[in-house]
PDB file of all heavy atoms in Angstrom:
ATOM      1  N   PHE A 209      -8.795  24.344  28.892  1.00 98.00           N
ATOM      2  CA  PHE A 209      -9.729  23.820  27.886  1.00 98.00           C
ATOM      3  C   PHE A 209      -9.248  22.479  27.329  1.00 98.00           C
ATOM      4  O   PHE A 209      -8.117  22.366  26.844  1.00 98.00           O
ATOM      5  CB  PHE A 209      -9.890  24.827  26.743  1.00 98.00           C
ATOM      6  CG  PHE A 209     -10.664  26.039  27.175  1.00 98.00           C
ATOM      7  CD1 PHE A 209     -10.010  27.196  27.558  1.00 98.00           C
ATOM      8  CD2 PHE A 209     -12.045  25.999  27.244  1.00 98.00           C
ATOM      9  CE1 PHE A 209     -10.733  28.307  27.985  1.00 98.00           C
ATOM     10  CE2 PHE A 209     -12.772  27.093  27.673  1.00 98.00           C
ATOM     11  CZ  PHE A 209     -12.109  28.256  28.045  1.00 98.00           C
ATOM     12  N   LEU A 213     -13.014  21.388  19.155  1.00 94.00           N
ATOM     13  CA  LEU A 213     -13.528  22.591  18.491  1.00 94.00           C
ATOM     14  C   LEU A 213     -14.753  22.201  17.676  1.00 94.00           C
ATOM     15  O   LEU A 213     -14.669  21.367  16.774  1.00 94.00           O
ATOM     16  CB  LEU A 213     -12.459  23.198  17.580  1.00 94.00           C
ATOM     17  CG  LEU A 213     -12.920  24.379  16.726  1.00 94.00           C
ATOM     18  CD1 LEU A 213     -13.353  25.555  17.580  1.00 94.00           C
ATOM     19  CD2 LEU A 213     -11.812  24.811  15.769  1.00 94.00           C
ATOM     20  N   THR A 217     -18.341  25.252  20.545  1.00 97.00           N
ATOM     21  CA  THR A 217     -17.198  25.663  21.383  1.00 97.00           C
ATOM     22  C   THR A 217     -16.371  26.767  20.725  1.00 97.00           C
ATOM     23  O   THR A 217     -15.408  27.247  21.316  1.00 97.00           O
ATOM     24  CB  THR A 217     -16.277  24.460  21.704  1.00 97.00           C
ATOM     25  OG1 THR A 217     -15.758  23.925  20.482  1.00 97.00           O
ATOM     26  CG2 THR A 217     -17.013  23.383  22.473  1.00 97.00           C
ATOM     27  N   TYR A 218     -16.766  27.157  19.497  1.00 97.00           N
ATOM     28  CA  TYR A 218     -16.055  28.239  18.804  1.00 97.00           C
ATOM     29  C   TYR A 218     -16.133  29.511  19.652  1.00 97.00           C
ATOM     30  O   TYR A 218     -17.208  29.914  20.093  1.00 97.00           O
ATOM     31  CB  TYR A 218     -16.699  28.460  17.425  1.00 97.00           C
ATOM     32  CG  TYR A 218     -16.087  29.592  16.636  1.00 97.00           C
ATOM     33  CD1 TYR A 218     -14.876  29.420  15.973  1.00 97.00           C
ATOM     34  CD2 TYR A 218     -16.706  30.836  16.577  1.00 97.00           C
ATOM     35  CE1 TYR A 218     -14.309  30.467  15.254  1.00 97.00           C
ATOM     36  CE2 TYR A 218     -16.143  31.886  15.856  1.00 97.00           C
ATOM     37  CZ  TYR A 218     -14.946  31.689  15.203  1.00 97.00           C
ATOM     38  OH  TYR A 218     -14.381  32.731  14.504  1.00 97.00           O
ATOM     39  N   HIS A 219     -15.017  30.123  19.921  1.00 98.00           N
ATOM     40  CA  HIS A 219     -14.936  31.366  20.713  1.00 98.00           C
ATOM     41  C   HIS A 219     -15.669  31.275  22.059  1.00 98.00           C
ATOM     42  O   HIS A 219     -16.429  32.165  22.422  1.00 98.00           O
ATOM     43  CB  HIS A 219     -15.446  32.556  19.910  1.00 98.00           C
ATOM     44  CG  HIS A 219     -14.443  33.025  18.895  1.00 98.00           C
ATOM     45  ND1 HIS A 219     -14.606  34.148  18.131  1.00 98.00           N
ATOM     46  CD2 HIS A 219     -13.233  32.524  18.533  1.00 98.00           C
ATOM     47  CE1 HIS A 219     -13.561  34.316  17.326  1.00 98.00           C
ATOM     48  NE2 HIS A 219     -12.710  33.322  17.547  1.00 98.00           N
ATOM     49  N   LEU A 220     -15.424  30.171  22.768  1.00 98.00           N
ATOM     50  CA  LEU A 220     -15.968  30.075  24.133  1.00 98.00           C
ATOM     51  C   LEU A 220     -15.492  31.266  24.957  1.00 98.00           C
ATOM     52  O   LEU A 220     -16.210  31.811  25.782  1.00 98.00           O
ATOM     53  CB  LEU A 220     -15.479  28.781  24.803  1.00 98.00           C
ATOM     54  CG  LEU A 220     -16.271  27.510  24.556  1.00 98.00           C
ATOM     55  CD1 LEU A 220     -15.629  26.353  25.291  1.00 98.00           C
ATOM     56  CD2 LEU A 220     -17.725  27.661  24.969  1.00 98.00           C
ATOM     57  N   ILE A 221     -14.241  31.653  24.709  1.00 98.00           N
ATOM     58  CA  ILE A 221     -13.729  32.868  25.358  1.00 98.00           C
ATOM     59  C   ILE A 221     -13.797  34.008  24.334  1.00 98.00           C
ATOM     60  O   ILE A 221     -13.097  33.975  23.311  1.00 98.00           O
ATOM     61  CB  ILE A 221     -12.275  32.664  25.855  1.00 98.00           C
ATOM     62  CG1 ILE A 221     -12.229  31.635  26.986  1.00 98.00           C
ATOM     63  CG2 ILE A 221     -11.638  33.983  26.290  1.00 98.00           C
ATOM     64  CD1 ILE A 221     -12.822  32.073  28.299  1.00 98.00           C
ATOM     65  N   ASP A 222     -14.682  34.964  24.605  1.00 98.00           N
ATOM     66  CA  ASP A 222     -14.764  36.164  23.762  1.00 98.00           C
ATOM     67  C   ASP A 222     -14.980  37.361  24.685  1.00 98.00           C
ATOM     68  O   ASP A 222     -14.899  37.218  25.914  1.00 98.00           O
ATOM     69  CB  ASP A 222     -15.883  36.028  22.712  1.00 98.00           C
ATOM     70  CG  ASP A 222     -17.255  35.860  23.340  1.00 98.00           C
ATOM     71  OD1 ASP A 222     -17.389  36.044  24.569  1.00 98.00           O
ATOM     72  OD2 ASP A 222     -18.211  35.537  22.616  1.00 98.00           O
ATOM     73  N   ILE A 226     -15.295  37.114  28.785  1.00 98.00           N
ATOM     74  CA  ILE A 226     -14.181  37.698  29.551  1.00 98.00           C
ATOM     75  C   ILE A 226     -14.730  38.583  30.678  1.00 98.00           C
ATOM     76  O   ILE A 226     -14.189  38.604  31.786  1.00 98.00           O
ATOM     77  CB  ILE A 226     -13.198  38.450  28.622  1.00 98.00           C
ATOM     78  CG1 ILE A 226     -12.410  37.416  27.806  1.00 98.00           C
ATOM     79  CG2 ILE A 226     -12.244  39.358  29.418  1.00 98.00           C
ATOM     80  CD1 ILE A 226     -11.482  37.966  26.760  1.00 98.00           C
ATOM     81  N   ILE A 235      -5.523  31.437  31.857  1.00 98.00           N
ATOM     82  CA  ILE A 235      -6.229  30.610  30.863  1.00 98.00           C
ATOM     83  C   ILE A 235      -5.236  29.704  30.143  1.00 98.00           C
ATOM     84  O   ILE A 235      -4.194  30.182  29.663  1.00 98.00           O
ATOM     85  CB  ILE A 235      -6.965  31.510  29.861  1.00 98.00           C
ATOM     86  CG1 ILE A 235      -8.034  32.266  30.641  1.00 98.00           C
ATOM     87  CG2 ILE A 235      -7.543  30.708  28.698  1.00 98.00           C
ATOM     88  CD1 ILE A 235      -9.045  32.960  29.850  1.00 98.00           C
ATOM     89  N   ILE A 236      -5.568  28.433  30.097  1.00 98.00           N
ATOM     90  CA  ILE A 236      -4.701  27.467  29.396  1.00 98.00           C
ATOM     91  C   ILE A 236      -5.486  26.893  28.225  1.00 98.00           C
ATOM     92  O   ILE A 236      -6.603  26.405  28.401  1.00 98.00           O
ATOM     93  CB  ILE A 236      -4.303  26.292  30.319  1.00 98.00           C
ATOM     94  CG1 ILE A 236      -3.770  26.795  31.656  1.00 98.00           C
ATOM     95  CG2 ILE A 236      -3.279  25.385  29.639  1.00 98.00           C
ATOM     96  CD1 ILE A 236      -3.695  25.688  32.704  1.00 98.00           C
ATOM     97  N   ASN A 237      -4.894  26.929  27.042  1.00 98.00           N
ATOM     98  CA  ASN A 237      -5.548  26.279  25.892  1.00 98.00           C
ATOM     99  C   ASN A 237      -4.550  25.360  25.194  1.00 98.00           C
ATOM    100  O   ASN A 237      -3.618  25.814  24.537  1.00 98.00           O
ATOM    101  CB  ASN A 237      -6.093  27.318  24.917  1.00 98.00           C
ATOM    102  CG  ASN A 237      -6.957  26.673  23.830  1.00 98.00           C
ATOM    103  OD1 ASN A 237      -7.213  25.467  23.885  1.00 98.00           O
ATOM    104  ND2 ASN A 237      -7.402  27.458  22.868  1.00 98.00           N
ATOM    105  N   ARG A 240      -7.811  23.562  20.893  1.00 95.00           N
ATOM    106  CA  ARG A 240      -7.788  24.115  19.540  1.00 95.00           C
ATOM    107  C   ARG A 240      -7.888  25.631  19.664  1.00 95.00           C
ATOM    108  O   ARG A 240      -8.655  26.150  20.485  1.00 95.00           O
ATOM    109  CB  ARG A 240      -8.958  23.590  18.699  1.00 95.00           C
ATOM    110  CG  ARG A 240      -8.782  22.160  18.201  1.00 95.00           C
ATOM    111  CD  ARG A 240      -7.649  22.007  17.180  1.00 95.00           C
ATOM    112  NE  ARG A 240      -7.468  20.634  16.727  1.00 95.00           N
ATOM    113  CZ  ARG A 240      -6.628  19.759  17.248  1.00 95.00           C
ATOM    114  NH1 ARG A 240      -5.857  20.107  18.264  1.00 95.00           N
ATOM    115  NH2 ARG A 240      -6.523  18.540  16.747  1.00 95.00           N
ATOM    116  N   GLY A 241      -7.143  26.333  18.800  1.00 96.00           N
ATOM    117  CA  GLY A 241      -7.011  27.781  18.927  1.00 96.00           C
ATOM    118  C   GLY A 241      -8.332  28.527  18.933  1.00 96.00           C
ATOM    119  O   GLY A 241      -8.549  29.448  19.736  1.00 96.00           O
ATOM    120  N   ALA A 242      -9.253  28.121  18.049  1.00 97.00           N
ATOM    121  CA  ALA A 242     -10.477  28.892  17.869  1.00 97.00           C
ATOM    122  C   ALA A 242     -11.463  28.766  19.042  1.00 97.00           C
ATOM    123  O   ALA A 242     -12.540  29.350  19.018  1.00 97.00           O
ATOM    124  CB  ALA A 242     -11.154  28.515  16.551  1.00 97.00           C
ATOM    125  N   LEU A 243     -11.096  28.040  20.085  1.00 98.00           N
ATOM    126  CA  LEU A 243     -11.923  28.076  21.296  1.00 98.00           C
ATOM    127  C   LEU A 243     -11.853  29.468  21.909  1.00 98.00           C
ATOM    128  O   LEU A 243     -12.716  29.871  22.684  1.00 98.00           O
ATOM    129  CB  LEU A 243     -11.425  27.057  22.331  1.00 98.00           C
ATOM    130  CG  LEU A 243     -11.477  25.579  21.979  1.00 98.00           C
ATOM    131  CD1 LEU A 243     -10.983  24.754  23.157  1.00 98.00           C
ATOM    132  CD2 LEU A 243     -12.890  25.161  21.622  1.00 98.00           C
ATOM    133  N   ILE A 244     -10.787  30.191  21.565  1.00 98.00           N
ATOM    134  CA  ILE A 244     -10.568  31.521  22.140  1.00 98.00           C
ATOM    135  C   ILE A 244     -10.491  32.556  21.029  1.00 98.00           C
ATOM    136  O   ILE A 244      -9.754  32.375  20.050  1.00 98.00           O
ATOM    137  CB  ILE A 244      -9.249  31.523  22.951  1.00 98.00           C
ATOM    138  CG1 ILE A 244      -9.359  30.561  24.136  1.00 98.00           C
ATOM    139  CG2 ILE A 244      -8.891  32.933  23.419  1.00 98.00           C
ATOM    140  CD1 ILE A 244      -8.123  30.484  25.008  1.00 98.00           C
ATOM    141  N   ASP A 245     -11.247  33.640  21.186  1.00 98.00           N
ATOM    142  CA  ASP A 245     -11.131  34.787  20.290  1.00 98.00           C
ATOM    143  C   ASP A 245      -9.836  35.509  20.682  1.00 98.00           C
ATOM    144  O   ASP A 245      -9.763  36.153  21.738  1.00 98.00           O
ATOM    145  CB  ASP A 245     -12.368  35.672  20.470  1.00 98.00           C
ATOM    146  CG  ASP A 245     -12.292  36.960  19.668  1.00 98.00           C
ATOM    147  OD1 ASP A 245     -11.195  37.307  19.195  1.00 98.00           O
ATOM    148  OD2 ASP A 245     -13.336  37.609  19.530  1.00 98.00           O
ATOM    149  N   ALA A 246      -8.817  35.376  19.834  1.00 98.00           N
ATOM    150  CA  ALA A 246      -7.476  35.843  20.218  1.00 98.00           C
ATOM    151  C   ALA A 246      -7.438  37.357  20.468  1.00 98.00           C
ATOM    152  O   ALA A 246      -6.732  37.829  21.357  1.00 98.00           O
ATOM    153  CB  ALA A 246      -6.476  35.446  19.135  1.00 98.00           C
ATOM    154  N   GLU A 247      -8.229  38.104  19.685  1.00 98.00           N
ATOM    155  CA  GLU A 247      -8.217  39.567  19.888  1.00 98.00           C
ATOM    156  C   GLU A 247      -8.865  39.940  21.205  1.00 98.00           C
ATOM    157  O   GLU A 247      -8.387  40.833  21.922  1.00 98.00           O
ATOM    158  CB  GLU A 247      -8.904  40.268  18.714  1.00 98.00           C
ATOM    159  CG  GLU A 247      -7.961  40.308  17.529  1.00 98.00           C
ATOM    160  CD  GLU A 247      -8.561  40.903  16.283  1.00 98.00           C
ATOM    161  OE1 GLU A 247      -9.522  41.682  16.400  1.00 98.00           O
ATOM    162  OE2 GLU A 247      -8.072  40.554  15.205  1.00 98.00           O
ATOM    163  N   ALA A 248      -9.945  39.237  21.554  1.00 98.00           N
ATOM    164  CA  ALA A 248     -10.598  39.494  22.841  1.00 98.00           C
ATOM    165  C   ALA A 248      -9.650  39.116  23.982  1.00 98.00           C
ATOM    166  O   ALA A 248      -9.563  39.819  25.003  1.00 98.00           O
ATOM    167  CB  ALA A 248     -11.890  38.691  22.936  1.00 98.00           C
ATOM    168  N   LEU A 249      -8.913  38.026  23.794  1.00 98.00           N
ATOM    169  CA  LEU A 249      -7.950  37.601  24.817  1.00 98.00           C
ATOM    170  C   LEU A 249      -6.906  38.690  25.035  1.00 98.00           C
ATOM    171  O   LEU A 249      -6.570  39.042  26.175  1.00 98.00           O
ATOM    172  CB  LEU A 249      -7.270  36.299  24.378  1.00 98.00           C
ATOM    173  CG  LEU A 249      -6.206  35.758  25.322  1.00 98.00           C
ATOM    174  CD1 LEU A 249      -6.828  35.105  26.556  1.00 98.00           C
ATOM    175  CD2 LEU A 249      -5.295  34.742  24.623  1.00 98.00           C
ATOM    176  N   LEU A 250      -6.408  39.216  23.922  1.00 98.00           N
ATOM    177  CA  LEU A 250      -5.398  40.276  24.001  1.00 98.00           C
ATOM    178  C   LEU A 250      -5.942  41.486  24.786  1.00 98.00           C
ATOM    179  O   LEU A 250      -5.268  42.032  25.658  1.00 98.00           O
ATOM    180  CB  LEU A 250      -4.976  40.688  22.580  1.00 98.00           C
ATOM    181  CG  LEU A 250      -3.912  41.765  22.469  1.00 98.00           C
ATOM    182  CD1 LEU A 250      -2.620  41.363  23.173  1.00 98.00           C
ATOM    183  CD2 LEU A 250      -3.622  42.062  20.992  1.00 98.00           C
ATOM    184  N   ILE A 258      -7.355  39.387  32.650  1.00 98.00           N
ATOM    185  CA  ILE A 258      -6.744  38.058  32.556  1.00 98.00           C
ATOM    186  C   ILE A 258      -5.309  38.170  33.053  1.00 98.00           C
ATOM    187  O   ILE A 258      -4.534  39.022  32.600  1.00 98.00           O
ATOM    188  CB  ILE A 258      -6.813  37.546  31.095  1.00 98.00           C
ATOM    189  CG1 ILE A 258      -8.282  37.341  30.702  1.00 98.00           C
ATOM    190  CG2 ILE A 258      -6.006  36.264  30.917  1.00 98.00           C
ATOM    191  CD1 ILE A 258      -8.510  37.055  29.242  1.00 98.00           C
ATOM    192  N   ALA A 261      -1.921  33.851  30.133  1.00 98.00           N
ATOM    193  CA  ALA A 261      -2.453  32.918  29.140  1.00 98.00           C
ATOM    194  C   ALA A 261      -1.351  31.955  28.731  1.00 98.00           C
ATOM    195  O   ALA A 261      -0.205  32.368  28.506  1.00 98.00           O
ATOM    196  CB  ALA A 261      -2.984  33.667  27.922  1.00 98.00           C
ATOM    197  N   CYS A 262      -1.701  30.684  28.695  1.00 98.00           N
ATOM    198  CA  CYS A 262      -0.768  29.628  28.285  1.00 98.00           C
ATOM    199  C   CYS A 262      -1.373  29.003  27.037  1.00 98.00           C
ATOM    200  O   CYS A 262      -2.375  28.289  27.114  1.00 98.00           O
ATOM    201  CB  CYS A 262      -0.654  28.567  29.374  1.00 98.00           C
ATOM    202  SG  CYS A 262      -0.212  29.241  30.975  1.00 98.00           S
ATOM    203  N   LEU A 263      -0.785  29.295  25.901  1.00 98.00           N
ATOM    204  CA  LEU A 263      -1.414  28.890  24.637  1.00 98.00           C
ATOM    205  C   LEU A 263      -0.521  27.922  23.873  1.00 98.00           C
ATOM    206  O   LEU A 263       0.574  28.288  23.445  1.00 98.00           O
ATOM    207  CB  LEU A 263      -1.665  30.124  23.758  1.00 98.00           C
ATOM    208  CG  LEU A 263      -2.397  31.299  24.415  1.00 98.00           C
ATOM    209  CD1 LEU A 263      -2.448  32.482  23.458  1.00 98.00           C
ATOM    210  CD2 LEU A 263      -3.800  30.890  24.837  1.00 98.00           C
ATOM    211  N   VAL A 265      -2.021  26.418  21.325  1.00 97.00           N
ATOM    212  CA  VAL A 265      -2.738  26.481  20.051  1.00 97.00           C
ATOM    213  C   VAL A 265      -3.197  27.916  19.862  1.00 97.00           C
ATOM    214  O   VAL A 265      -3.390  28.651  20.825  1.00 97.00           O
ATOM    215  CB  VAL A 265      -3.947  25.508  20.050  1.00 97.00           C
ATOM    216  CG1 VAL A 265      -3.504  24.068  19.914  1.00 97.00           C
ATOM    217  CG2 VAL A 265      -4.789  25.671  21.309  1.00 97.00           C
ATOM    218  N   TYR A 266      -3.393  28.296  18.595  1.00 97.00           N
ATOM    219  CA  TYR A 266      -3.748  29.676  18.297  1.00 97.00           C
ATOM    220  C   TYR A 266      -4.686  29.668  17.097  1.00 97.00           C
ATOM    221  O   TYR A 266      -4.494  28.888  16.156  1.00 97.00           O
ATOM    222  CB  TYR A 266      -2.460  30.470  18.009  1.00 97.00           C
ATOM    223  CG  TYR A 266      -2.678  31.865  17.497  1.00 97.00           C
ATOM    224  CD1 TYR A 266      -3.267  32.828  18.299  1.00 97.00           C
ATOM    225  CD2 TYR A 266      -2.298  32.208  16.204  1.00 97.00           C
ATOM    226  CE1 TYR A 266      -3.472  34.117  17.817  1.00 97.00           C
ATOM    227  CE2 TYR A 266      -2.484  33.498  15.718  1.00 97.00           C
ATOM    228  CZ  TYR A 266      -3.081  34.440  16.529  1.00 97.00           C
ATOM    229  OH  TYR A 266      -3.289  35.711  16.063  1.00 97.00           O
ATOM    230  N   GLU A 267      -5.668  30.549  17.163  1.00 94.00           N
ATOM    231  CA  GLU A 267      -6.717  30.570  16.145  1.00 94.00           C
ATOM    232  C   GLU A 267      -6.174  30.552  14.708  1.00 94.00           C
ATOM    233  O   GLU A 267      -6.646  29.827  13.855  1.00 94.00           O
ATOM    234  CB  GLU A 267      -7.526  31.854  16.369  1.00 94.00           C
ATOM    235  CG  GLU A 267      -8.933  31.708  15.984  1.00 94.00           C
ATOM    236  CD  GLU A 267      -9.743  32.973  16.240  1.00 94.00           C
ATOM    237  OE1 GLU A 267      -9.279  33.887  16.938  1.00 94.00           O
ATOM    238  OE2 GLU A 267     -10.846  33.016  15.701  1.00 94.00           O
TER     239      GLU A 267
END
Side-chain angles (χ1 to χ4, degrees):
F209 289 97
L213 174 63
T217 61
Y218 178 78
H219 283 186
L220 274 180
I221 293 290
D222 61 11
I226 288 175
I235 296 193
I236 310 166
N237 189 5
R240 284 293 179 267
L243 297 182
I244 296 180
D245 175 345
E247 282 176 24
L249 178 76
L250 181 59
I258 295 171
C262 306
L263 309 175
V265 286
Y266 172 66
E267 211 179 347

